[in-house]
Amino acid sequence: MLKENYKKVRAAIDEACEKCGRKKEEVLLIAVSKTKPLSDIEELITIGVNDFGENKVQELSKKYAEVSKPVNFHLIGHLQTNKVKQVIGKTCLIHSVDSFHLAEKIEVEAAKLDTTVDVLIEVNVAEEDTKFGLKLEEVTALISDIANKCPHVKIKGLMTIAPFVDDPEENRPVFRKLRQLSLDIKSKNIDNVSMEVLSMGMTNDYIVAVEEGATIVRVGTAIFGERNYNI
Ligand SMILES: *Cc1c(COP(=O)(O)O)cnc(C)c1O
């Protein structure tokens, strides 16, 4: 079932790419396995799935330690500074940097290990109170600051969690704004910053996100089914 679900989502992405003249290789599908058992991850690994999304450091660390072969774990949830140390080396990309304070902490820990850490800047495009992330107008200044002062932190692009809406079309302007911002920042050619990655789109709106330029979509429910947070 999981395998079929994954293939369906992948096929829908590929079709959307074709329709809007993008290469399907441009879009990475992350299977968001948060709250789901390791056996679900193992099942998807058998069909070659290599990228999984987790939103909690503890859960990511446990799955990282137990998985039968190395795969990419993306940290997509909010990261507290006191958990930074635990997650470095286990995640291929932190999608949720939203303050200088957090970047600084990553810098210190990465420098200690003589490594670099790839990150995205999380933007709260719709300015929802319930969500983490920067306002659009705060992003460029934060990126310049991190680029100047945190040589071990490599900014690769932007991420957003769009509002939960009934009609995914409602999120099209959100995705469009994030893409425009990434183009604006790219045109500044800031040293140590690349804007290749746009992480946007979830179960309800990933097709619209692909049409608007997403290079990573993060899909949980459409692959693994509903999540149960009470177990
Ligand atoms: C849970 C989560 C997802 C996946 O959401 P679905 O609607 O189940 O596809 C994507 N991104 C983030 C940041 C999440 O926390």
Side-chain angles (χ1 to χ4, degrees), residues 13-29:
I13 293 167
D14 294 351
E15 195 189 321
C17 283
E18 195 165 322
K19 276 192 187 149
C20 62
R22 301 186 61 197
K23 293 199 195 94
K24 59 185 184 200
E25 298 77 27
E26 285 173 28
V27 183
L28 175 69
L29 167 58

mmCIF file with all atom_site columns, all heavy atoms in Angstrom, residues 13-29:
data_model
loop_
_atom_site.group_PDB
_atom_site.id
_atom_site.type_symbol
_atom_site.label_atom_id
_atom_site.label_alt_id
_atom_site.label_comp_id
_atom_site.label_asym_id
_atom_site.label_entity_id
_atom_site.label_seq_id
_atom_site.pdbx_PDB_ins_code
_atom_site.Cartn_x
_atom_site.Cartn_y
_atom_site.Cartn_z
_atom_site.occupancy
_atom_site.B_iso_or_equiv
_atom_site.pdbx_formal_charge
_atom_site.auth_seq_id
_atom_site.auth_comp_id
_atom_site.auth_asym_id
_atom_site.auth_atom_id
_atom_site.pdbx_PDB_model_num
ATOM 1   N N   . ILE A 1 13 ? 3.572  14.175 -9.390  1.00 0.00 ? 13 ILE A N   1
ATOM 2   C CA  . ILE A 1 13 ? 4.611  15.221 -9.478  1.00 0.00 ? 13 ILE A CA  1
ATOM 3   C C   . ILE A 1 13 ? 5.195  15.247 -10.894 1.00 0.00 ? 13 ILE A C   1
ATOM 4   O O   . ILE A 1 13 ? 5.335  16.308 -11.509 1.00 0.00 ? 13 ILE A O   1
ATOM 5   C CB  . ILE A 1 13 ? 5.737  14.962 -8.444  1.00 0.00 ? 13 ILE A CB  1
ATOM 6   C CG1 . ILE A 1 13 ? 5.215  15.143 -7.024  1.00 0.00 ? 13 ILE A CG1 1
ATOM 7   C CG2 . ILE A 1 13 ? 6.942  15.873 -8.701  1.00 0.00 ? 13 ILE A CG2 1
ATOM 8   C CD1 . ILE A 1 13 ? 6.147  14.605 -5.943  1.00 0.00 ? 13 ILE A CD1 1
ATOM 9   N N   . ASP A 1 14 ? 5.512  14.062 -11.403 1.00 0.00 ? 14 ASP A N   1
ATOM 10  C CA  . ASP A 1 14 ? 6.114  13.978 -12.739 1.00 0.00 ? 14 ASP A CA  1
ATOM 11  C C   . ASP A 1 14 ? 5.177  14.559 -13.791 1.00 0.00 ? 14 ASP A C   1
ATOM 12  O O   . ASP A 1 14 ? 5.606  15.275 -14.709 1.00 0.00 ? 14 ASP A O   1
ATOM 13  C CB  . ASP A 1 14 ? 6.456  12.521 -13.086 1.00 0.00 ? 14 ASP A CB  1
ATOM 14  C CG  . ASP A 1 14 ? 7.552  11.964 -12.185 1.00 0.00 ? 14 ASP A CG  1
ATOM 15  O OD1 . ASP A 1 14 ? 8.153  12.758 -11.420 1.00 0.00 ? 14 ASP A OD1 1
ATOM 16  O OD2 . ASP A 1 14 ? 7.800  10.748 -12.224 1.00 0.00 ? 14 ASP A OD2 1
ATOM 17  N N   . GLU A 1 15 ? 3.883  14.266 -13.636 1.00 0.00 ? 15 GLU A N   1
ATOM 18  C CA  . GLU A 1 15 ? 2.894  14.776 -14.590 1.00 0.00 ? 15 GLU A CA  1
ATOM 19  C C   . GLU A 1 15 ? 2.793  16.308 -14.515 1.00 0.00 ? 15 GLU A C   1
ATOM 20  O O   . GLU A 1 15 ? 2.741  16.989 -15.537 1.00 0.00 ? 15 GLU A O   1
ATOM 21  C CB  . GLU A 1 15 ? 1.537  14.143 -14.286 1.00 0.00 ? 15 GLU A CB  1
ATOM 22  C CG  . GLU A 1 15 ? 0.524  14.312 -15.400 1.00 0.00 ? 15 GLU A CG  1
ATOM 23  C CD  . GLU A 1 15 ? -0.870 13.850 -14.942 1.00 0.00 ? 15 GLU A CD  1
ATOM 24  O OE1 . GLU A 1 15 ? -0.954 12.832 -14.216 1.00 0.00 ? 15 GLU A OE1 1
ATOM 25  O OE2 . GLU A 1 15 ? -1.853 14.516 -15.296 1.00 0.00 ? 15 GLU A OE2 1
ATOM 26  N N   . ALA A 1 16 ? 2.800  16.806 -13.283 1.00 0.00 ? 16 ALA A N   1
ATOM 27  C CA  . ALA A 1 16 ? 2.749  18.270 -13.111 1.00 0.00 ? 16 ALA A CA  1
ATOM 28  C C   . ALA A 1 16 ? 3.986  18.921 -13.727 1.00 0.00 ? 16 ALA A C   1
ATOM 29  O O   . ALA A 1 16 ? 3.899  19.978 -14.359 1.00 0.00 ? 16 ALA A O   1
ATOM 30  C CB  . ALA A 1 16 ? 2.634  18.626 -11.626 1.00 0.00 ? 16 ALA A CB  1
ATOM 31  N N   . CYS A 1 17 ? 5.134  18.286 -13.560 1.00 0.00 ? 17 CYS A N   1
ATOM 32  C CA  . CYS A 1 17 ? 6.377  18.808 -14.153 1.00 0.00 ? 17 CYS A CA  1
ATOM 33  C C   . CYS A 1 17 ? 6.240  18.873 -15.660 1.00 0.00 ? 17 CYS A C   1
ATOM 34  O O   . CYS A 1 17 ? 6.584  19.883 -16.288 1.00 0.00 ? 17 CYS A O   1
ATOM 35  C CB  . CYS A 1 17 ? 7.567  17.912 -13.811 1.00 0.00 ? 17 CYS A CB  1
ATOM 36  S SG  . CYS A 1 17 ? 8.155  18.132 -12.137 1.00 0.00 ? 17 CYS A SG  1
ATOM 37  N N   . GLU A 1 18 ? 5.764  17.781 -16.208 1.00 0.00 ? 18 GLU A N   1
ATOM 38  C CA  . GLU A 1 18 ? 5.633  17.722 -17.662 1.00 0.00 ? 18 GLU A CA  1
ATOM 39  C C   . GLU A 1 18 ? 4.716  18.829 -18.166 1.00 0.00 ? 18 GLU A C   1
ATOM 40  O O   . GLU A 1 18 ? 5.027  19.528 -19.125 1.00 0.00 ? 18 GLU A O   1
ATOM 41  C CB  . GLU A 1 18 ? 5.096  16.353 -18.061 1.00 0.00 ? 18 GLU A CB  1
ATOM 42  C CG  . GLU A 1 18 ? 5.268  16.059 -19.538 1.00 0.00 ? 18 GLU A CG  1
ATOM 43  C CD  . GLU A 1 18 ? 5.066  14.587 -19.822 1.00 0.00 ? 18 GLU A CD  1
ATOM 44  O OE1 . GLU A 1 18 ? 5.502  13.769 -18.983 1.00 0.00 ? 18 GLU A OE1 1
ATOM 45  O OE2 . GLU A 1 18 ? 4.460  14.252 -20.848 1.00 0.00 ? 18 GLU A OE2 1
ATOM 46  N N   . LYS A 1 19 ? 3.585  18.999 -17.464 1.00 0.00 ? 19 LYS A N   1
ATOM 47  C CA  . LYS A 1 19 ? 2.602  20.015 -17.881 1.00 0.00 ? 19 LYS A CA  1
ATOM 48  C C   . LYS A 1 19 ? 3.164  21.422 -17.846 1.00 0.00 ? 19 LYS A C   1
ATOM 49  O O   . LYS A 1 19 ? 2.789  22.269 -18.645 1.00 0.00 ? 19 LYS A O   1
ATOM 50  C CB  . LYS A 1 19 ? 1.364  19.957 -16.977 1.00 0.00 ? 19 LYS A CB  1
ATOM 51  C CG  . LYS A 1 19 ? 0.366  18.919 -17.421 1.00 0.00 ? 19 LYS A CG  1
ATOM 52  C CD  . LYS A 1 19 ? -0.946 19.121 -16.678 1.00 0.00 ? 19 LYS A CD  1
ATOM 53  C CE  . LYS A 1 19 ? -1.913 17.982 -16.978 1.00 0.00 ? 19 LYS A CE  1
ATOM 54  N NZ  . LYS A 1 19 ? -2.798 17.727 -15.830 1.00 0.00 ? 19 LYS A NZ  1
ATOM 55  N N   . CYS A 1 20 ? 4.029  21.699 -16.880 1.00 0.00 ? 20 CYS A N   1
ATOM 56  C CA  . CYS A 1 20 ? 4.526  23.077 -16.806 1.00 0.00 ? 20 CYS A CA  1
ATOM 57  C C   . CYS A 1 20 ? 5.954  23.212 -17.332 1.00 0.00 ? 20 CYS A C   1
ATOM 58  O O   . CYS A 1 20 ? 6.626  24.211 -17.081 1.00 0.00 ? 20 CYS A O   1
ATOM 59  C CB  . CYS A 1 20 ? 4.350  23.659 -15.406 1.00 0.00 ? 20 CYS A CB  1
ATOM 60  S SG  . CYS A 1 20 ? 5.233  22.808 -14.127 1.00 0.00 ? 20 CYS A SG  1
ATOM 61  N N   . GLY A 1 21 ? 6.399  22.205 -18.043 1.00 0.00 ? 21 GLY A N   1
ATOM 62  C CA  . GLY A 1 21 ? 7.699  22.325 -18.723 1.00 0.00 ? 21 GLY A CA  1
ATOM 63  C C   . GLY A 1 21 ? 8.902  22.259 -17.803 1.00 0.00 ? 21 GLY A C   1
ATOM 64  O O   . GLY A 1 21 ? 9.947  22.826 -18.086 1.00 0.00 ? 21 GLY A O   1
ATOM 65  N N   . ARG A 1 22 ? 8.766  21.549 -16.683 1.00 0.00 ? 22 ARG A N   1
ATOM 66  C CA  . ARG A 1 22 ? 9.921  21.359 -15.804 1.00 0.00 ? 22 ARG A CA  1
ATOM 67  C C   . ARG A 1 22 ? 10.434 19.936 -15.943 1.00 0.00 ? 22 ARG A C   1
ATOM 68  O O   . ARG A 1 22 ? 9.693  19.034 -16.306 1.00 0.00 ? 22 ARG A O   1
ATOM 69  C CB  . ARG A 1 22 ? 9.527  21.613 -14.343 1.00 0.00 ? 22 ARG A CB  1
ATOM 70  C CG  . ARG A 1 22 ? 8.990  22.999 -14.077 1.00 0.00 ? 22 ARG A CG  1
ATOM 71  C CD  . ARG A 1 22 ? 8.771  23.222 -12.590 1.00 0.00 ? 22 ARG A CD  1
ATOM 72  N NE  . ARG A 1 22 ? 10.017 23.097 -11.842 1.00 0.00 ? 22 ARG A NE  1
ATOM 73  C CZ  . ARG A 1 22 ? 10.088 22.920 -10.523 1.00 0.00 ? 22 ARG A CZ  1
ATOM 74  N NH1 . ARG A 1 22 ? 8.986  22.821 -9.810  1.00 0.00 ? 22 ARG A NH1 1
ATOM 75  N NH2 . ARG A 1 22 ? 11.258 22.826 -9.920  1.00 0.00 ? 22 ARG A NH2 1
ATOM 76  N N   . LYS A 1 23 ? 11.702 19.733 -15.587 1.00 0.00 ? 23 LYS A N   1
ATOM 77  C CA  . LYS A 1 23 ? 12.244 18.374 -15.576 1.00 0.00 ? 23 LYS A CA  1
ATOM 78  C C   . LYS A 1 23 ? 11.859 17.701 -14.259 1.00 0.00 ? 23 LYS A C   1
ATOM 79  O O   . LYS A 1 23 ? 12.001 18.305 -13.202 1.00 0.00 ? 23 LYS A O   1
ATOM 80  C CB  . LYS A 1 23 ? 13.771 18.411 -15.672 1.00 0.00 ? 23 LYS A CB  1
ATOM 81  C CG  . LYS A 1 23 ? 14.315 18.922 -16.980 1.00 0.00 ? 23 LYS A CG  1
ATOM 82  C CD  . LYS A 1 23 ? 15.773 18.477 -17.114 1.00 0.00 ? 23 LYS A CD  1
ATOM 83  C CE  . LYS A 1 23 ? 16.503 19.231 -18.199 1.00 0.00 ? 23 LYS A CE  1
ATOM 84  N NZ  . LYS A 1 23 ? 17.233 20.414 -17.711 1.00 0.00 ? 23 LYS A NZ  1
ATOM 85  N N   . LYS A 1 24 ? 11.416 16.459 -14.349 1.00 0.00 ? 24 LYS A N   1
ATOM 86  C CA  . LYS A 1 24 ? 10.994 15.801 -13.109 1.00 0.00 ? 24 LYS A CA  1
ATOM 87  C C   . LYS A 1 24 ? 12.156 15.597 -12.133 1.00 0.00 ? 24 LYS A C   1
ATOM 88  O O   . LYS A 1 24 ? 11.958 15.539 -10.926 1.00 0.00 ? 24 LYS A O   1
ATOM 89  C CB  . LYS A 1 24 ? 10.268 14.485 -13.404 1.00 0.00 ? 24 LYS A CB  1
ATOM 90  C CG  . LYS A 1 24 ? 11.071 13.481 -14.157 1.00 0.00 ? 24 LYS A CG  1
ATOM 91  C CD  . LYS A 1 24 ? 10.214 12.273 -14.505 1.00 0.00 ? 24 LYS A CD  1
ATOM 92  C CE  . LYS A 1 24 ? 11.085 11.233 -15.187 1.00 0.00 ? 24 LYS A CE  1
ATOM 93  N NZ  . LYS A 1 24 ? 10.345 10.266 -15.961 1.00 0.00 ? 24 LYS A NZ  1
ATOM 94  N N   . GLU A 1 25 ? 13.373 15.548 -12.658 1.00 0.00 ? 25 GLU A N   1
ATOM 95  C CA  . GLU A 1 25 ? 14.546 15.399 -11.780 1.00 0.00 ? 25 GLU A CA  1
ATOM 96  C C   . GLU A 1 25 ? 14.754 16.638 -10.905 1.00 0.00 ? 25 GLU A C   1
ATOM 97  O O   . GLU A 1 25 ? 15.512 16.597 -9.929  1.00 0.00 ? 25 GLU A O   1
ATOM 98  C CB  . GLU A 1 25 ? 15.827 15.172 -12.589 1.00 0.00 ? 25 GLU A CB  1
ATOM 99  C CG  . GLU A 1 25 ? 15.851 13.916 -13.436 1.00 0.00 ? 25 GLU A CG  1
ATOM 100 C CD  . GLU A 1 25 ? 15.029 14.025 -14.719 1.00 0.00 ? 25 GLU A CD  1
ATOM 101 O OE1 . GLU A 1 25 ? 14.855 15.166 -15.224 1.00 0.00 ? 25 GLU A OE1 1
ATOM 102 O OE2 . GLU A 1 25 ? 14.544 12.983 -15.209 1.00 0.00 ? 25 GLU A OE2 1
ATOM 103 N N   . GLU A 1 26 ? 14.095 17.727 -11.251 1.00 0.00 ? 26 GLU A N   1
ATOM 104 C CA  . GLU A 1 26 ? 14.250 18.967 -10.466 1.00 0.00 ? 26 GLU A CA  1
ATOM 105 C C   . GLU A 1 26 ? 13.502 18.905 -9.143  1.00 0.00 ? 26 GLU A C   1
ATOM 106 O O   . GLU A 1 26 ? 13.708 19.758 -8.287  1.00 0.00 ? 26 GLU A O   1
ATOM 107 C CB  . GLU A 1 26 ? 13.657 20.167 -11.234 1.00 0.00 ? 26 GLU A CB  1
ATOM 108 C CG  . GLU A 1 26 ? 14.483 20.674 -12.375 1.00 0.00 ? 26 GLU A CG  1
ATOM 109 C CD  . GLU A 1 26 ? 13.711 21.753 -13.166 1.00 0.00 ? 26 GLU A CD  1
ATOM 110 O OE1 . GLU A 1 26 ? 12.853 22.456 -12.599 1.00 0.00 ? 26 GLU A OE1 1
ATOM 111 O OE2 . GLU A 1 26 ? 13.993 21.863 -14.371 1.00 0.00 ? 26 GLU A OE2 1
ATOM 112 N N   . VAL A 1 27 ? 12.583 17.954 -9.025  1.00 0.00 ? 27 VAL A N   1
ATOM 113 C CA  . VAL A 1 27 ? 11.739 17.933 -7.816  1.00 0.00 ? 27 VAL A CA  1
ATOM 114 C C   . VAL A 1 27 ? 12.003 16.679 -6.977  1.00 0.00 ? 27 VAL A C   1
ATOM 115 O O   . VAL A 1 27 ? 11.775 15.559 -7.421  1.00 0.00 ? 27 VAL A O   1
ATOM 116 C CB  . VAL A 1 27 ? 10.237 18.002 -8.178  1.00 0.00 ? 27 VAL A CB  1
ATOM 117 C CG1 . VAL A 1 27 ? 9.390  18.065 -6.897  1.00 0.00 ? 27 VAL A CG1 1
ATOM 118 C CG2 . VAL A 1 27 ? 9.940  19.199 -9.068  1.00 0.00 ? 27 VAL A CG2 1
ATOM 119 N N   . LEU A 1 28 ? 12.489 16.907 -5.768  1.00 0.00 ? 28 LEU A N   1
ATOM 120 C CA  . LEU A 1 28 ? 12.721 15.815 -4.829  1.00 0.00 ? 28 LEU A CA  1
ATOM 121 C C   . LEU A 1 28 ? 11.476 15.615 -3.971  1.00 0.00 ? 28 LEU A C   1
ATOM 122 O O   . LEU A 1 28 ? 10.948 16.572 -3.406  1.00 0.00 ? 28 LEU A O   1
ATOM 123 C CB  . LEU A 1 28 ? 13.916 16.161 -3.927  1.00 0.00 ? 28 LEU A CB  1
ATOM 124 C CG  . LEU A 1 28 ? 14.223 15.171 -2.795  1.00 0.00 ? 28 LEU A CG  1
ATOM 125 C CD1 . LEU A 1 28 ? 14.743 13.848 -3.346  1.00 0.00 ? 28 LEU A CD1 1
ATOM 126 C CD2 . LEU A 1 28 ? 15.237 15.772 -1.824  1.00 0.00 ? 28 LEU A CD2 1
ATOM 127 N N   . LEU A 1 29 ? 11.031 14.377 -3.888  1.00 0.00 ? 29 LEU A N   1
ATOM 128 C CA  . LEU A 1 29 ? 9.904  14.038 -3.013  1.00 0.00 ? 29 LEU A CA  1
ATOM 129 C C   . LEU A 1 29 ? 10.445 13.489 -1.697  1.00 0.00 ? 29 LEU A C   1
ATOM 130 O O   . LEU A 1 29 ? 11.134 12.465 -1.683  1.00 0.00 ? 29 LEU A O   1
ATOM 131 C CB  . LEU A 1 29 ? 9.014  12.988 -3.702  1.00 0.00 ? 29 LEU A CB  1
ATOM 132 C CG  . LEU A 1 29 ? 7.957  12.290 -2.833  1.00 0.00 ? 29 LEU A CG  1
ATOM 133 C CD1 . LEU A 1 29 ? 6.990  13.283 -2.192  1.00 0.00 ? 29 LEU A CD1 1
ATOM 134 C CD2 . LEU A 1 29 ? 7.190  11.251 -3.674  1.00 0.00 ? 29 LEU A CD2 1
#
